[in-house]
């Protein structure tokens, strides 16, 4: 479905696929401007309006899908009276015009954005950061900033301690590694769960 939307746009997706798509609203003009800057900061993106339009369509599809999942849960009996915390990529929530705006369009509610902000970047890493030319957005990027130290995740490996395979749309635990550093509680060989299609 994602590939069909990327290639042909929302209006040209086959009817059987379109029925599974979330309602997709108009792109916020500020979000479009910011994502244009992010897109152009990626080396080797290919350039051109056609490439950017494909990129934007996929961003909106991800956010609308996430928003639908959030609202479906909050409206369900399991979500009644609860608050939800989502761990979401920064550009999907920054300034509120990504996921927050798309949730509120479906279900008006109060929300707060907590945005991690690195205290500093090691000098040897500065030249490797993506250069992005962004517009000055007349909005607060977040309600709260959470200052964190720089963390190079490429030097760390997280292991779940299980080997998985996909079977008929479900993830199946094929084997369990003895004494792994980390393993999901309750994991047993042969157990399965529905395939996740949540946020990126």
């Amino acid at each position: 479905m994602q590939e069909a939307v990327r290639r042909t746009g929302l209006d040209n997706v086959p009817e059987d696929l379109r029925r599974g798509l979330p309602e997709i609203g108009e792109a916020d003009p500020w979000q479009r401007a910011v994502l244009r800057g992010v897109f152009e900061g990626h080396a080797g993106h290919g350039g051109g309006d056609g490439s950017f339009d494909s990129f934007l369509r996929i961003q909106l599809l991800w956010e609308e899908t996430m928003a639908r999942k959030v609202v479906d849960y909050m409206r369900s009996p399991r979500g009644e009276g609860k608050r939800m915390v989502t761990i979401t990529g920064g550009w999907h929530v920054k300034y509120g015009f990504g996921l927050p705006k798309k949730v509120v369009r479906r279900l008006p509610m109060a929300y707060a954005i907590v945005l991690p902000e690195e205290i500093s970047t090691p000098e040897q890493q500065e030249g490797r950061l993506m250069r992005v030319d962004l517009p000055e957005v007349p909005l607060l990027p977040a309600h709260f900033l959470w200052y964190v130290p720089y963390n190079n995740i490429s030097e760390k490996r997280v292991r779940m301690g299980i080997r998985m395979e996909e079977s008929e749309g479900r993830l199946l635990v094929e084997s369990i590694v003895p004494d792994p550093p980390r393993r999901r509680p309750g994991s047993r060989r042969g157990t399965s769960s529905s395939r996740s299609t949540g946020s990126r």
Side-chain angles (χ1 to χ4, degrees):
M1 184 181 301
Q2 175 177 307
E3 180 62 19
V5 172
R6 185 192 67 78
R7 281 197 329 266
T8 65
L10 298 170
D11 295 335
N12 298 314
V13 173
E15 181 60 32
D16 59 330
L17 291 179
R18 192 180 305 141
R19 285 194 294 269
L21 292 174
E23 174 199 351
I24 298 179
E26 291 294 323
D28 184 290
W30 284 112
Q31 183 180 22
R32 177 183 285 273
V34 166
L35 289 180
R36 168 72 78 171
V38 172
F39 174 77
E40 292 178 351
H42 283 83
H45 58 69
D49 289 340
S51 296
F52 171 69
D53 288 343
S54 295
F55 171 77
L56 178 62
R57 283 195 295 267
I58 295 304
Q59 293 292 312
L60 297 179
L61 178 61
W62 283 346
E63 291 169 357
E64 296 286 10
T65 301
M66 288 188 280
R68 183 173 66 178
K69 288 180 176 293
V70 168
V71 171
D72 286 350
Y73 178 82
M74 297 302 290
R75 283 179 169 160
S76 72
R78 292 183 62 196
E80 185 176 356
K82 294 181 180 177
R83 295 181 180 179
M84 178 179 286
V85 175
T86 69
I87 301 175
T88 314
W91 288 115
H92 288 300
V93 296
K94 200 170 184 179
Y95 299 110
F97 49 41
L99 179 60
K101 182 175 181 178
K102 293 168 177 62
V103 168
V104 170
R105 191 183 80 232
R106 292 169 165 85
L107 181 64
M109 65 171 74
Y111 67 89
I113 301 171
V114 181
L115 196 66
E117 183 76 16
E118 290 174 353
I119 298 170
S120 62
T121 303
E123 185 176 345
Q124 64 270 26
Q125 295 291 336
E126 289 183 357
R128 302 177 61 184
L129 299 179
M130 183 174 68
R131 301 299 179 190
V132 180
D133 183 19
L134 299 176
E136 292 188 15
V137 180
L139 300 168
L140 290 174
H143 299 90
F144 303 96
L145 286 181
W146 174 22
Y147 288 99
V148 297
Y150 177 86
N151 193 359
N152 187 351
I153 61 174
S154 64
E155 298 175 355
K156 298 183 178 182
R157 299 180 66 186
V158 177
R159 298 181 180 178
M160 296 177 62
I162 58 177
R163 184 182 181 94
M164 305 183 77
E165 66 176 14
E166 185 177 348
S167 176
E168 298 179 357
R170 300 178 71 82
L171 292 177
L172 179 69
V173 178
E174 186 181 59
S175 61
I176 297 177
V177 178
D179 300 320
R182 171 176 291 183
R183 183 168 72 209
R184 181 177 175 177
S187 295
R188 299 190 309 278
R189 184 174 179 178
T191 57
S192 64
S193 62
S194 297
R195 185 178 182 182
S196 172
T197 56
S199 63
R200 297 180 67 95

